[in-house]
């Protein structure tokens, strides 16, 4: 008789045609952040078909929790998360299931994440009687936009009772069959800023009668770089980038009243997260004051750095090496944190967790473009990897040997 591992391996393989079918449907019908209603309805219908033992709730309007309590006794609660939202991009691929919603595309692969977590849910429902503890399947809205879906779900109680949380993201630069992660800080904090310089406008022929906000804003932009180069230790230094400087109406002879500076801070340390915004405000206010101007500040929602718990990382690493086809070669350690944002960090701020990647690269079919690219593709042969990791995490933590 096949061992449980062999049975699970077989079930993961058998569910893949459905995973691909679900993924293609979601890909063809993408929904933007905070507009995921059709995807939520589709996913809930599929979940209901698996088992009447799945307890399905909606902690927010556009998110889903599905709890599967094991039949073999009490144990911990393990959460597995997938995100569901798409991006405001026009799809440029030639796949037959390309987006049917103009200007909206699953260019970050959240359709794949959702489908593979559905696949894991179906497999795990079949072995529910062997589980000690509970699996919470987390289908999250709005990973791509503010307000953060993860933050809203945490506020709604999605992590209550959870002992560990795990998440996976597709990686078009990683070979099919491989997975990757790192302990500790895995992604940077993202702290966007919007500074308005309030001066005094007037005629360009008499600048002495004005408080020119363009000159002041330019001075502020240059001095913000001293925060990076001179005011925080090099080992803790953040990235501060000004990406927009706007002022005036296009007239050749009018000095405007205000100028606007927008940009982002990316930080991989507590010092960077805590001190850089404070230093930015202090610098801008001091320079504006020298000219007799003032500044106001708008700080959009912060996405904090993602920090993988060392114990959870070791569990994910072990599962990848033991459950994936290439054994130890299946797991690729990540050397450096990414400077992109991932609001999975909101879950990790309240519950120990680990976030990893799985490979979907295949240059022969054009599956090699970065996420957030209109030509993004994912090799469907890689989907079995994530499904097996999800199932393997539950097998490792909730199913006695």
């Amino acid at each position: 008789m096949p061992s449980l591992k062999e049975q699970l391996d077989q079930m993961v393989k058998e569910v893949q045609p459905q995973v691909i079918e679900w993924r293609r449907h979601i890909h063809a019908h993408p929904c933007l952040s905070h507009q995921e209603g059709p995807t939520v309805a589709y996913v809930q219908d599929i979940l209901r078909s698996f088992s009447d033992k799945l307890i399905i709730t909606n902690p927010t309007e556009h998110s889903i929790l599905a709890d599967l309590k094991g039949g073999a006794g009490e144990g911990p609660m393990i959460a597995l998360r997938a995100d569901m939202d798409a991006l405001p991009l026009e799809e440029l691929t030639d796949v037959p299931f390309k987006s049917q919603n103009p200007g909206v595309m699953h260019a970050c692969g959240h359709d794949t994440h959702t489908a593979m977590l559905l696949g894991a849910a179906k497999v795990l429902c079949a072995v529910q009687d062997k589980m000690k503890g509970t699996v919470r399947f987390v289908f999250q809205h709005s990973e791509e936009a503010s307000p953060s879906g993860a933050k809203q779900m945490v506020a709604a109680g999605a992590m209550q009772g959870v002992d560990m949380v795990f998440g996976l993201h597709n990686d078009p630069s990683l070979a099919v069959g491989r997975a990757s992660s790192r302990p500790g800080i895995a992604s940077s904090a993202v702290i966007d800023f919007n500074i308005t310089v309030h001066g005094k406008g007037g005629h360009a022929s008499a600048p002495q009668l004005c408080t020119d906000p363009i000159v002041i804003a330019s001075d502020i932009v240059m001095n913000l770089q001293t925060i990076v180069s001179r005011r925080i230790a090099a080992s803790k230094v953040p990235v501060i980038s000004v990406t927009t400087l706007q002022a005036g109406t296009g007239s050749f002879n009018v000095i405007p009243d205000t100028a606007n500076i927008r940009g982002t801070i990316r930080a991989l340390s507590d010092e960077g997260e805590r001190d850089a915004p404070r230093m930015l405000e202090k610098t801008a206010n001091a320079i504006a004051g020298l000219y007799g101007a003032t500044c106001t500040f708008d700080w959009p929602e912060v996405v904090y750095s993602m920090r993988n718990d060392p114990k959870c990382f070791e569990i994910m690493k072990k599962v990848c090496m033991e459950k994936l086809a290439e054994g130890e070669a299946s797991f690729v350690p990540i050397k450096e944190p990414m400077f992109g944002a991932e609001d999975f960090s909101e879950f990790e701020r309240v519950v120990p967790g680990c976030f990893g990647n799985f490979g979907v690269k295949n240059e022969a079919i054009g599956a090699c473009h970065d996420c957030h690219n209109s030509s993004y593709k994912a090799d469907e042969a890689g989907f079995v990897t994530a499904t097996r990791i999800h199932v393997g995490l539950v097998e490792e933590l909730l199913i006695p040997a």
Side-chain angles (χ1 to χ4, degrees):
M1 182 176 177
S3 67
L4 179 59
K5 178 186 180 302
E6 292 170 333
Q7 293 177 52
L8 290 170
D9 284 341
Q10 186 60 32
M11 285 190 283
V12 167
K13 292 175 184 176
E14 289 174 352
V15 81
Q16 289 310 299
Q18 286 181 291
V19 169
I20 291 171
E21 176 187 344
W22 297 328
R23 181 264 173 153
R24 290 184 176 188
H25 175 90
I26 297 169
H27 189 93
H29 303 88
C31 299
L32 292 173
S33 303
H34 298 288
Q35 301 176 33
E36 298 94 342
T39 303
V40 168
Y42 180 73
V43 169
Q44 286 186 158
D45 284 346
I46 294 170
L47 288 169
R48 290 190 188 103
S49 73
F50 294 161
S51 171
D52 58 7
K53 293 183 173 62
L54 269 177
I55 307 302
I56 301 170
T57 58
N58 302 100
T60 68
E61 181 181 1
H62 296 120
S63 66
I64 306 167
L65 296 181
D67 287 358
L68 182 65
K69 185 174 177 60
E74 296 300 318
M77 178 183 286
I78 306 303
L80 304 174
R81 175 267 206 169
D83 37 17
M84 299 186 291
D85 55 330
L87 287 160
L89 288 174
E90 190 69 38
E91 182 162 6
L92 298 181
T93 74
D94 56 358
V95 296
F97 50 90
K98 69 184 297 183
S99 173
Q100 297 178 20
N101 297 341
V104 185
M105 178 192 175
H106 270 293
C108 200
H110 295 187
D111 53 332
T112 71
H113 307 163
T114 299
M116 287 174 287
L117 189 56
L118 284 171
K122 181 171 184 178
V123 170
L124 292 168
C125 282
V127 294
Q128 176 264 345
D129 61 318
K130 295 180 173 62
M131 287 170 33
K132 282 190 173 183
T134 301
V135 186
R136 172 164 289 175
F137 302 99
V138 180
F139 294 90
Q140 180 202 317
H141 65 301
S142 188
E143 189 278 329
E144 298 287 3
S146 180
S148 155
K151 184 175 289 187
Q152 291 183 329
M153 292 189 77
V154 168
M159 290 295 105
Q160 289 181 4
V162 173
D163 293 281
M164 294 180 184
V165 60
F166 296 90
L168 293 169
H169 199 292
N170 75 97
D171 185 347
S173 69
L174 187 65
V176 167
R178 303 285 175 85
S180 63
S181 186
R182 75 186 310 274
I185 295 180
S187 69
S188 73
V190 177
I191 310 168
D192 295 334
F193 59 85
N194 188 346
I195 308 170
T196 301
V197 180
H198 301 273
K200 178 184 175 184
H203 201 284
S205 65
Q208 75 279 7
L209 301 178
C210 305
T211 305
D212 190 339
I214 297 175
V215 173
I216 300 166
S218 300
D219 203 352
I220 290 171
V221 170
M222 296 304 295
N223 275 276
L224 290 183
Q225 298 310 310
T226 66
I227 296 173
V228 175
S229 64
R230 290 294 182 269
R231 298 168 67 187
I232 295 179
S235 60
K236 309 293 184 182
V237 71
V239 170
I240 300 178
S241 294
V242 172
T243 56
T244 302
L245 179 56
Q246 294 179 328
T249 60
S251 174
F252 288 103
N253 61 356
V254 176
I255 293 173
D257 289 311
T258 62
N260 181 250
I261 305 166
R262 301 180 73 182
T264 189
I265 300 170
R266 304 294 170 108
L268 295 172
S269 68
D270 291 332
E271 291 87 346
E273 284 187 25
R274 180 188 66 240
D275 296 340
R278 177 179 57 80
M279 291 180 181
L280 182 146
E281 285 200 5
K282 186 175 180 180
T283 299
N285 279 327
I287 293 171
L290 288 173
Y291 289 92
T294 60
C295 289
T296 55
F297 302 87
D298 177 43
W299 296 94
E301 184 178 55
V302 174
V303 178
Y304 291 98
S305 56
M306 184 169 59
R307 304 182 181 213
N308 287 336
D309 177 78
K311 179 181 177 182
C312 294
F313 165 79
E314 290 298 332
I315 292 169
M316 180 175 282
K317 178 181 176 181
K318 179 175 185 286
V319 166
C320 292
M321 289 182 170
E322 291 184 355
K323 310 301 182 185
L324 300 183
E326 295 184 48
E328 291 188 7
S330 298
F331 185 79
V332 181
I334 298 175
K335 295 181 180 179
E336 300 292 338
M338 69 172 182
F339 266 87
E342 172 52 69
D343 76 349
F344 186 82
S345 61
E346 290 296 330
F347 299 127
E348 290 187 323
R349 281 165 67 82
V350 294
V351 175
C354 185
F355 190 81
N357 301 320
F358 62 94
V360 292
K361 181 180 180 180
N362 184 343
E363 293 187 16
I365 64 169
C368 53
H369 298 282
D370 288 339
C371 295
H372 291 226
N373 186 305
S374 292
S375 297
Y376 164 88
K377 288 183 180 180
D379 187 348
E380 293 172 336
F383 296 178
V384 67
T385 304
T387 309
R388 190 64 184 95
I389 294 172
H390 282 313
V391 171
L393 288 165
V394 175
E395 183 184 356
E396 177 71 19
L397 295 167
L398 302 185
I399 300 178

